[in-house]
Amino acid sequence: MKTIKLINFQGINCYYNSIATLVYDLGLDYKLLFGDLWSECDLFFDEKSGLYSSKRLIANLAACGAKILPLWEKDTQRALNHLKAGESAVVCFDAFNVFWNSTYRLRHGTHYFIVRKSLMGEFLIFDPTLNKTDIKTSTNELAGLCIDIFAVKKRRPDQALKEELLCVKKEAVRAEKSVSTLKVKLVEGVASLQGGEACIKFAKYCDALTNNRFMFRHFVFDLLHPDPKLFMPDSYLLSFVAVKNGLFKLSLTQDVRTKKQISHLLSVLLENELKYAAFLQKL
């Protein structure tokens, strides 16, 4: 049976890399998923997982020529049984039950990966995040631990959306305009934080923004091949990570100095956003 090439890189989480891997496995261009993530500010907060995620990435499946088909039923085993040999699905476990991970039985959280049904009726696990392939498991074991399951299928591509995503200069203009929105959300938002859960939620929002930038950079590097030193270098993206870490620190102690450092770093990062937007518009 054909193996699956795993798609994974810094900044893409287990949910997105599982989707991207199956889009690629269908023979489609998964990188289109990331074409307008830079300017996205209105992120979705999932109360169940406690994390922010992109609304646009899932919508961009249409540009790739793909769609998500939910397989969740009250009887998960029945959903798995309906998959034919060679068909794949994205499955979610509690990370506590991911038996091929070194943190097995140590921590909780959602973890997405891919399963493919074999000719013998068993399932093979392909995990882009952990770089694991061909781990065998049974229908019963999957059904007992599965908390979400869906397939990625082909559909007629949305050509208009595809053309829009491939116009990087338009996204650079949108990103430039979004800086004013981010100044209010980030710089002014930090000034009003009082610690505790609000800081943690704010840190998660910054983390999602950072991941969007990692994914957009992956798209741009493949499409335009800019000088890595001139567009979103690692030092820039890691500064966003420093902001997130500072916010987690702020959740434990209302240190005025830390708050000022975070606000200053965010201001510098947003100035860089304008510089990178101008750079892309000139390419």
Side-chain angles (χ1 to χ4, degrees), residues 107-279:
R107 64 180 181 85
H108 293 280
T110 54
H111 185 72
Y112 285 85
F113 55 93
I114 297 161
V115 296
R116 173 164 285 175
K117 198 167 193 176
S118 74
L119 295 172
M120 302 298 292
E122 63 189 358
F123 284 89
L124 300 176
I125 290 170
F126 297 85
D127 190 328
T129 303
L130 300 175
N131 194 29
K132 299 289 186 180
T133 60
D134 297 325
I135 301 167
K136 294 181 180 179
T137 188
S138 66
T139 303
N140 288 341
E141 187 167 29
L142 275 179
L145 299 175
C146 174
I147 55 177
D148 190 15
I149 179 172
F150 60 87
V152 178
K153 298 290 187 182
K154 281 189 173 182
R155 55 154 281 174
R156 184 190 297 273
D158 184 331
Q159 286 298 137
L161 178 57
K162 180 178 180 179
E163 290 171 11
E164 181 73 16
L165 293 174
L166 288 172
C167 188
V168 176
K169 290 184 179 181
K170 286 186 178 180
E171 175 60 6
V173 171
R174 289 190 292 265
E176 189 175 51
K177 292 178 179 178
S178 73
V179 168
S180 58
T181 301
L182 286 176
K183 279 184 179 178
V184 175
K185 279 182 173 286
L186 300 181
V187 180
E188 295 180 19
V190 168
S192 64
L193 287 174
Q194 298 299 318
E197 287 298 320
C199 284
I200 293 174
K201 189 172 182 179
F202 205 83
K204 291 177 178 179
Y205 177 77
C206 287
D207 192 41
L209 288 178
T210 308
N211 291 342
N212 271 15
R213 280 150 180 75
F214 271 114
M215 289 186 282
F216 178 73
R217 186 180 73 164
H218 183 79
F219 167 75
V220 169
F221 279 11
D222 179 78
L223 187 68
L224 301 177
H225 309 290
D227 186 335
K229 296 178 182 178
L230 299 179
F231 183 74
M232 292 190 182
D234 286 345
S235 57
Y236 158 78
L237 292 173
L238 291 176
S239 292
F240 265 106
V241 176
V243 167
K244 177 192 73 173
N245 293 338
L247 287 164
F248 277 119
K249 178 182 177 181
L250 203 61
S251 71
L252 301 173
T253 173
Q254 276 296 293
D255 181 55
V256 175
R257 184 183 175 188
T258 299
K259 186 179 284 191
K260 287 182 178 179
Q261 288 174 336
I262 293 170
S263 294
H264 174 71
L265 184 52
L266 281 170
S267 296
V268 172
L269 288 170
L270 291 176
E271 286 301 315
N272 282 328
E273 296 265 296
L274 294 174
K275 181 177 71 175
Y276 297 139
F279 173 75

Side-chain angles (χ1 to χ4, degrees), residues 2-139:
K2 185 183 78 169
T3 190
I4 297 176
K5 178 183 176 181
L6 305 180
I7 304 297
N8 192 47
F9 53 87
Q10 187 175 7
I12 188 170
N13 64 29
C14 59
Y15 180 65
Y16 297 145
N17 65 22
S18 294
I19 292 172
T21 294
L22 286 189
V23 169
Y24 180 81
D25 194 58
L26 291 171
L28 306 172
D29 184 4
Y30 74 89
K31 293 178 289 295
L32 288 169
L33 295 170
F34 318 134
D36 61 354
L37 300 191
W38 184 15
S39 65
E40 185 177 23
C41 302
D42 183 23
L43 303 173
F44 170 70
F45 185 72
D46 184 354
E47 297 289 347
K48 188 176 180 181
S49 67
L51 298 173
Y52 283 94
S53 60
S54 168
K55 298 177 183 177
R56 294 181 182 177
L57 188 146
I58 301 303
N60 291 344
L61 279 165
C64 301
K67 62 180 180 180
I68 284 178
L69 179 65
L71 300 177
W72 184 257
E73 298 179 20
K74 291 181 180 179
D75 185 351
T76 312
Q77 189 157 5
R78 184 180 175 189
L80 290 166
N81 286 335
H82 281 173
L83 288 175
K84 299 176 183 177
E87 288 188 328
S88 303
V90 176
V91 167
C92 183
F93 276 11
D94 182 340
F96 189 80
N97 296 318
V98 178
F99 54 85
W100 58 94
N101 193 3
S102 59
T103 60
Y104 176 54
R105 299 288 184 184
L106 293 178
R107 64 180 181 85
H108 293 280
T110 54
H111 185 72
Y112 285 85
F113 55 93
I114 297 161
V115 296
R116 173 164 285 175
K117 198 167 193 176
S118 74
L119 295 172
M120 302 298 292
E122 63 189 358
F123 284 89
L124 300 176
I125 290 170
F126 297 85
D127 190 328
T129 303
L130 300 175
N131 194 29
K132 299 289 186 180
T133 60
D134 297 325
I135 301 167
K136 294 181 180 179
T137 188
S138 66
T139 303

